[in-house]
């Protein structure tokens, strides 16, 4: 009897394992069909010439096209060929071109513009696994770059001598999960050893020029989002009301940047360094939250008519914004925070307004934390709000309450602290 239960137990366990293995399989066709549905949910028209390879799908002349009316914009991404191959173990290998173009055509208040980019990656490995309902994508590349090829403004092409730019990431790794449903759930984890960028421009009419460059190391990004089906991507307010939401966190271990410019007034240059930082963003029906932080910041600036660099450093800095965005009869939370800790200026700056060194030159601190309640009578992402021209139309709601949860200012030997609460009677705009 013991032997019987042991054998039947082993058999049941084996059947369970085999059933799970069979369930955790996905085919090349299922991956390709999911890609097309995913981009369609974002408003892209997907066209391609598809062929069965015997163990997968070959899609040639692939084109993703997105068109919006307000503002008028057309985004096009093209792939010469995408090959998806079944590996025989329930996973799918995906081969993408080493390079593929992306173009953006649009029109704003200044007229039409064209923007052409080339996206490249090397030593790429991309593998799909999971099930059709819960797909997992594992991507790795030794490098990935986005290069600005051409810009045309009002019919005038600006050559590489006038405008150029690129961004390069090395040691790229990404793990993404897409769960089907309504809404569709997307989760991503991305890392890179280093991300560098550079952009430069020259005004042909005046020879004024500028450049921006920098790099960040030890980069990690985590993000997730919910995407409802059957929505209009050109109407973000409706998308949010339909349940679209998302958020992410970007973090880096160290960074440095440089901004320079030349003009008739003379040269300008600013360099920055930091020992790390974070950026967290979330968006949904409850509003927008933007949270930025940085540590170990060092800044040096050279301005026209003053050849000596001006600089300073800061132990910690931060900025936080919480803002409602959806129309509601109920009061909604908002908040604002600003933090500058351990701010120290070079003596040359102090000497400009305190040449006798009378004031203490200790590090300064500023910490402000505000919170409040507001009522919105219009969606902030509603295009009609941007078109409002009358002063009364520019206020999308009412301020109901404001609290100073904390206030700290410490500078030159003096310290100010405080708290406070205010309420507002919106029927009486004269008293307060």
């Amino acid at each position: 009897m013991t032997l019987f239960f042991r054998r039947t137990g082993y058999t049941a366990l084996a059947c369970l394992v085999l059933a799970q293995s069979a369930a955790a399989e996905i085919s090349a066709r299922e991956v390709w069909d999911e890609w097309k549905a995913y981009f369609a949910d974002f408003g892209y028209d997907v066209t391609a010439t598809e062929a069965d390879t015997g163990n997968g799908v070959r899609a040639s002349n692939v084109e993703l096209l997105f068109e919006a009316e307000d503002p008028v914009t057309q985004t096009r991404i093209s792939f010469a060929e995408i090959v998806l191959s079944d590996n025989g173990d329930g996973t799918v290998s995906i081969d993408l071109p080493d390079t593929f173009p992306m173009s953006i055509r649009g029109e704003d208040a200044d007229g039409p513009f064209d923007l052409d980019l080339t996206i490249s990656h090397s030593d790429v490995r991309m593998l799909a696994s999971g099930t059709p309902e819960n797909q997992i994508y594992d991507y790795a590349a030794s490098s990935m770059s986005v290069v600005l090829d051409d810009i045309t403004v009002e019919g005038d092409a600006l050559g590489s001598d006038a405008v150029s730019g690129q961004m390069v990431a090395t040691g790229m790794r990404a793990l993404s999960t897409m769960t089907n449903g309504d809404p569709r759930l997307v989760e991503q984890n991305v890392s890179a050893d280093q991300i560098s960028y550079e952009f430069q421009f020259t005004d042909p009419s005046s020879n004024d020029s500028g450049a921006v460059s920098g790099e960040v190391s030890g980069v990690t990004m985590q993000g997730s989002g919910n995407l409802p089906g059957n929505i209009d991507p050109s109407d973000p307010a409706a998308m949010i009301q339909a349940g679209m939401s998302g958020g992410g966190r970007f973090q880096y271990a160290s960074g440095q940047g440089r901004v320079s410019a030349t003009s008739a007034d003379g040269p300008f240059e600013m360099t920055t360094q930091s020992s790390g930082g974070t950026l967290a963003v979330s968006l949904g029906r409850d509003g927008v939250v933007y949270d930025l932080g940085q540590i170990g910041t060092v800044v040096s600036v050279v301005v026209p008519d003053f050849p000596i660099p001006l600089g300073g450093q800061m132990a910690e800095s931060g900025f936080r914004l919480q803002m409602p965005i959806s129309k509601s009869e109920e009061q909604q939370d908002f908040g604002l925070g600003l933090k500058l800790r351990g701010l120290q200026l070079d003596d040359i700056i102090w000497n400009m307004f305190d040449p006798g060194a009378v004031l203490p030159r200790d590090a300064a601190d500023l910490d402000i934390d505000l919170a409040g309640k507001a009522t919105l009578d219009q969606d902030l992402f509603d295009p009609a709000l941007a078109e409002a021209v009358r002063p009364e139309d520019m206020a999308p709601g009412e301020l109901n309450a404001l609290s100073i949860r904390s206030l700290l200012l410490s500078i030159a030997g003096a310290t100010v602290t405080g708290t406070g609460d205010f309420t507002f009677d919106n029927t009486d705009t004269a008293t307060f």
Side-chain angles (χ1 to χ4, degrees):
M1 183 66 68
T2 301
L3 180 61
F4 171 78
F5 279 115
R6 183 178 298 171
R7 287 180 176 175
T8 55
Y10 287 159
T11 302
L13 178 60
C15 291
L16 178 61
V17 171
L18 289 174
Q20 289 177 338
S21 299
E25 291 186 355
I26 193 169
S27 69
R29 169 55 63 180
E30 289 167 332
V31 171
W32 176 241
D33 288 343
E34 172 61 18
W35 276 30
K36 291 188 291 183
Y38 175 77
F39 282 109
D41 283 347
F42 272 105
Y44 282 87
D45 290 329
V46 183
T47 59
T49 301
E50 301 179 17
D52 188 348
T53 64
N55 72 326
V57 178
R58 175 183 289 108
S60 305
N61 301 318
V62 181
E63 192 168 88
L64 309 179
L65 178 64
F66 175 80
E67 294 182 299
E69 295 182 357
D70 189 16
V72 176
T73 308
Q74 182 188 84
T75 302
R76 188 188 307 269
I77 306 174
S78 303
F79 302 89
E81 185 178 80
I82 300 176
V83 179
L84 302 93
S85 304
D86 294 313
N87 294 320
D89 59 357
T91 64
V92 176
S93 293
I94 303 171
D95 294 324
L96 299 172
D98 291 337
T99 64
F100 50 93
M102 176 178 179
S103 64
I104 301 174
R105 309 282 184 258
E107 187 170 346
D108 56 20
D110 297 326
F113 66 88
D114 296 341
L115 184 67
D116 293 320
L117 307 167
T118 296
I119 302 174
S120 305
H121 48 191
S122 59
D123 301 324
V124 179
R125 182 184 69 84
M126 191 171 186
L127 191 71
S129 61
T131 66
E133 296 76 23
N134 188 40
Q135 300 188 19
I136 302 170
Y137 296 91
D138 192 344
Y139 169 92
S142 61
S143 67
M144 180 178 181
S145 65
V146 180
V147 178
L148 174 61
D149 295 323
D150 296 295
I151 294 182
T152 301
V153 179
E154 296 182 331
D156 295 328
L158 305 179
S160 58
D161 292 339
V163 181
S164 65
Q166 68 173 359
M167 183 181 71
V168 179
T170 59
M172 283 283 296
R173 181 71 186 269
L175 186 65
S176 304
T177 302
M178 290 197 299
T179 303
N180 287 334
D182 192 6
R184 181 193 304 269
L185 173 63
V186 180
E187 297 177 294
Q188 289 185 320
N189 287 276
V190 182
S191 64
D193 295 337
Q194 186 180 80
I195 299 177
S196 60
Y197 57 91
E198 58 180 349
F199 176 81
Q200 70 84 25
F201 66 91
T202 300
D203 185 351
S205 61
S206 64
N207 287 327
D208 290 352
S209 63
V212 179
S213 62
E215 62 185 35
V216 289
S217 302
V219 179
T220 59
M221 291 173 279
Q222 300 87 34
S224 63
N226 292 297
L227 181 65
N230 299 319
I231 55 177
D232 181 4
S234 64
D235 188 350
M239 292 174 66
I240 292 172
Q241 291 303 318
M244 187 191 75
S245 64
R249 180 180 177 86
F250 171 90
Q251 187 169 352
Y252 65 96
S254 63
Q256 59 182 358
R258 180 174 180 268
V259 178
S260 62
T262 58
S263 67
D265 296 329
F268 169 86
E269 182 175 316
M270 180 176 69
T271 60
T272 62
Q273 293 181 343
S274 70
S275 301
T278 59
L279 170 62
V281 180
S282 64
L283 170 68
R285 289 174 180 168
D286 294 335
V288 174
V289 176
Y290 179 89
D291 198 344
L292 173 67
Q294 193 166 274
I295 59 174
T297 305
V298 179
V299 180
S300 178
V301 180
V302 176
V303 297
D305 300 327
F306 199 89
I308 302 176
L310 307 175
Q313 57 185 329
M314 191 155 37
E316 181 183 3
S317 62
F319 174 77
R320 186 178 189 276
L321 174 66
Q322 176 186 0
M323 183 174 64
I325 58 174
S326 299
K327 176 181 177 180
S328 175
E329 295 180 358
E330 303 294 328
Q331 296 183 12
Q332 301 181 68
D333 294 326
F334 71 86
L336 177 66
L338 177 64
K339 179 186 294 184
L340 305 175
R341 293 282 189 173
L343 174 61
Q344 294 180 299
L345 302 178
D346 290 348
D347 283 340
I348 189 171
I349 300 178
W350 277 104
N351 291 337
M352 291 180 182
F353 56 86
D354 183 28
V358 175
L359 300 174
R361 299 186 177 183
D362 300 333
D365 294 322
L366 173 63
D367 198 337
I368 301 174
D369 186 7
L370 306 178
K373 296 281 188 179
T375 305
L376 294 185
D377 54 24
Q378 189 168 3
D379 291 319
L380 294 189
F381 286 171
D382 188 340
L385 181 62
E387 298 173 359
V389 294
R390 294 177 298 166
E392 60 268 26
D393 290 338
M394 297 307 293
E398 297 177 341
L399 178 62
N400 306 117
L402 176 66
S403 296
I404 304 175
R405 297 198 291 196
S406 66
L407 169 64
L408 168 65
L409 174 60
S410 176
I411 185 171
T415 300
V416 177
T417 61
T419 59
D421 293 288
F422 303 89
T423 58
F424 302 90
D425 180 3
N426 287 281
T427 63
D428 178 11
T429 59
T431 302
F432 205 130

